[in-house]
Amino acid sequence: MSIDVLIVGAGIIGAACADALAAEGLAVMVVEREATGSGATAAGMGHLVVMDDNPAELALTSYSLALWRQLAAVDPAPHEYSPCGTLWIAADDEEMAVAQDKQFTLGAHGIACELLDATALYAYEPQLRPGLRGGLRVNADAIVYPPKSAALLLARAQSRGAQVLKGQVRALTGYGVLLADGSELHADKVLVANGSASLQLLPELPIRPKKGHIVITDRYPGMISHQLVELGYIKSAHAADGDSVAFNLQPRPTGQLLIGSSRQFDVTDKAVEPAILARMLVHATSFVPALAGLNALRCWTGLRAASSDGLPLIGPHPSRANVWLATGHEGLGITTSLASAQLLAAQIIGNPTEIPIAPYLPARFAQLGMQYG
């Protein structure tokens, strides 16, 4: 078989790219060493959330959420899609001012949201601790179950002719990839879409792993209605170094609750760490005290792939011929997967992109073009 695009990685990004490229009639092969949707995809909370820290992030997340809504409109059940919305919590007047700014920005881009005073906040979520100032409700945000979504996207890609091979890519060659078993695969283009593991193939990438912990509880239906996120989460998500925790609580359609989040830079050991886990849970119970009495079923970790400027790398490697990138999404890989795939596919087939592509091009990083020709 002649391969137009060989994709390294069958997480949510690789699966979405395979689906988008196969839909354009390209011959696609996906190489994955583990199960589909494993790695960071399986470790993700599955939130589909509009983020507005900068215009490029807002453009990418809002575009992708529109694509997710189109996908869910066909049949939401297989993805466990739930349009629960996000409730950003303001603990004090300073954070309430942030919520107001966020409302202005999102509203200016046509994204429905509702500023809440304390009374309205507790009407929506009575389990929150007393004394909070208010919040912002973003109505169209949603959640999915990431491993299932990745598997569904990859299955649709296969129905369009894509092939999937179980194996580990050891190195990129000038004409494809070298597998760990010594075999070689030839392809016109190689797309590296395996998150933080992309550093093993391309150590020059401006990406650092960020380890995170997640806890899932037993079933407590109706306890929480929205995804709850503290406005202080933004500081944690974009910290430049060190360990941090932030409050992020998500109701699953099963009635279970997912509790996050933690961030540890450059930690690649996936073992659960009791100290950071305890810190995360104490912080979560400071927002929802009833969490202290719930049964936790399991906890696990994953590695986010964080780029140095907070935006993903989507497009051609500027100095490695026929190597393409879809990585560096950090904690927004689930949210932005569908848009990333469309932007990637449009570039490969030579079509215009739906949103300006420049902020996400790998060529924005000068170091990618300095030593590798």
Side-chain angles (χ1 to χ4, degrees):
M1 167 190 175
S2 175
I3 303 171
D4 294 323
V5 184
L6 186 148
I7 300 174
V8 183
I12 191 76
I13 299 296
C17 288
D19 182 48
L21 292 167
E24 297 293 343
L26 297 181
V28 175
M29 175 175 283
V30 180
V31 180
E32 170 58 56
R33 64 181 179 181
E34 297 177 356
T36 300
S38 56
T41 298
M45 294 184 75
H47 52 226
L48 305 177
V49 56
V50 174
M51 295 291 288
D52 62 332
D53 296 343
N54 56 68
E57 185 179 72
L58 176 55
L60 187 64
T61 55
S62 58
Y63 173 34
S64 206
L65 257 68
L67 294 172
W68 274 109
R69 287 190 289 272
Q70 291 174 21
L71 183 63
V74 177
D75 188 0
H79 293 271
E80 299 185 23
Y81 180 93
S82 172
C84 61
T86 298
L87 207 162
W88 293 90
I89 298 167
D92 51 32
D93 288 343
E94 181 182 3
E95 290 186 356
M96 197 64 188
V98 175
Q100 291 169 338
D101 290 343
K102 195 175 187 70
Q103 180 195 34
F104 177 82
T105 301
L106 296 183
H109 288 81
I111 298 166
C113 52
E114 173 188 6
L115 197 66
L116 308 176
D117 62 14
T119 300
L121 177 71
Y122 291 111
Y124 277 122
E125 297 292 353
Q127 293 291 344
L128 287 166
R129 77 161 189 260
L132 296 169
R133 177 66 176 79
L136 182 71
R137 182 173 180 253
V138 184
N139 307 331
D141 285 356
I143 59 174
V144 293
Y145 183 48
K148 187 174 287 188
S149 290
L152 289 165
L153 288 167
L154 191 59
R156 190 166 70 172
Q158 289 177 281
S159 74
R160 293 167 166 168
Q163 295 194 31
V164 179
L165 176 68
K166 189 171 183 61
Q168 181 175 353
V169 175
R170 177 186 295 171
L172 307 181
T173 66
Y175 43 80
V177 299
L178 173 66
L179 300 182
D181 63 6
S183 61
E184 298 179 1
L185 295 173
H186 294 188
D188 292 341
K189 295 176 177 64
V190 174
L191 172 63
V192 178
N194 57 340
S196 60
S198 59
L199 289 168
Q200 298 169 15
L201 300 174
L202 299 167
E204 71 271 19
L205 293 181
I207 288 175
R208 298 170 68 186
K210 275 189 186 180
K211 181 178 178 179
H213 287 69
I214 292 180
V215 175
I216 192 165
T217 73
D218 207 341
R219 297 170 190 262
Y220 301 96
M223 181 175 174
I224 298 294
S225 300
H226 300 77
Q227 177 171 220
L228 304 180
V229 191
E230 64 169 310
L231 280 160
Y233 176 94
I234 297 169
K235 293 180 182 178
S236 166
H238 296 284
D241 241 317
D243 297 348
S244 63
V245 299
F247 173 58
N248 189 349
L249 182 64
Q250 183 187 102
R252 298 298 309 164
T254 59
Q256 296 172 286
L257 299 175
L258 280 178
I259 305 171
S261 64
S262 69
R263 281 174 167 77
Q264 297 170 275
F265 275 96
D266 302 321
V267 178
T268 56
D269 182 353
K270 292 186 180 180
V272 172
E273 299 179 49
I276 192 79
L277 181 64
R279 182 178 161 192
M280 183 184 82
L281 292 174
V282 166
H283 189 62
T285 57
S286 75
F287 280 89
V288 178
L291 291 177
L294 306 188
N295 293 322
L297 296 183
R298 188 166 70 94
C299 54
W300 66 95
T301 72
L303 302 179
R304 309 173 184 92
S307 74
S308 58
D309 68 358
L311 293 173
L313 288 74
I314 307 169
H317 193 297
S319 60
R320 289 186 183 255
N322 303 320
V323 174
W324 290 67
L325 302 171
T327 186
H329 294 77
E330 201 191 327
L332 290 172
I334 312 303
T335 290
T336 61
S337 55
L338 299 188
S340 296
Q342 291 301 317
L343 294 177
L344 189 285
Q347 291 180 80
I348 285 180
I349 65 175
N351 282 349
T353 56
E354 288 292 326
I355 60 175
I357 190 62
Y360 323 106
L361 289 176
R364 71 187 188 272
F365 295 106
Q367 67 266 39
L368 294 185
M370 291 173 61
Q371 301 177 24
Y372 305 90

